[in-house]
Amino acid sequence: MRVIAKGTLREFWKQNPESEQQLMSWYREASKFEWKSPNEIKEQYASASILKNNRIVFNICGNKYRLIVEINFPRKWVFIRFIGTHKEYDKIDANNI
C-alpha cells in the first residue's frame, strides 16, 4: 500500500515522541501489505475499528492515540485522515473527517 502522507505522522511524533516507534512500525507494515478489504486489516489488527467510507481506526500506544485512515483498496492507497489523542478523537466525527 502507498501511505499518503508520512509527513503527517512525522509531524505528530515530533510533538509526541513516545508515539514515534509505533507509528514507524505501523507505517512500515502498512507499506508492505496489500490489503484487499477491511476484513484483512481486522485479521492483522484485531483492535482496529472498521468505519464507513473505507475508514479504519488504529489504536496507537495502547489506545493513547488514534490514527484514522481512509483506504482506496483498488488503487492501494492509504490516506492519513487524522492522528491525535483519544480525547481529540472523541471530539471529531471519524466517519467524515
Side-chain angles (χ1 to χ4, degrees):
M1 304 298 282
R2 180 173 177 213
V3 180
I4 304 167
K6 185 179 182 182
T8 303
L9 299 178
R10 190 178 302 115
E11 287 301 313
F12 185 80
W13 75 55
K14 283 181 184 177
Q15 300 296 319
N16 303 278
E18 67 279 5
S19 69
E20 182 176 4
Q21 291 295 14
Q22 269 205 313
L23 287 172
M24 285 177 61
S25 177
W26 177 88
Y27 177 84
R28 282 191 301 271
E29 290 174 8
S31 297
K32 180 176 73 172
F33 290 102
E34 291 190 12
W35 297 308
K36 292 175 180 52
S37 72
N39 291 336
E40 287 185 6
I41 296 169
K42 193 71 173 165
E43 288 173 10
Q44 185 179 356
Y45 295 96
S47 65
S49 299
I50 310 299
L51 306 178
K52 65 181 183 177
N53 301 325
N54 289 323
R55 291 174 192 238
I56 315 293
V57 180
F58 294 94
N59 298 322
I60 306 295
C61 293
N63 207 18
K64 182 175 182 180
Y65 304 109
R66 292 281 181 99
L67 170 65
I68 302 174
V69 301
E70 180 180 348
I71 301 180
N72 182 315
F73 290 99
R75 294 186 185 265
K76 299 178 175 66
W77 292 344
V78 177
F79 299 95
I80 307 290
R81 304 301 289 174
F82 171 86
I83 178 74
T85 66
H86 199 147
K87 187 175 182 177
E88 292 167 333
Y89 171 85
D90 288 342
K91 294 178 182 178
I92 65 165
D93 178 358
N95 286 302
N96 295 306
I97 192 163

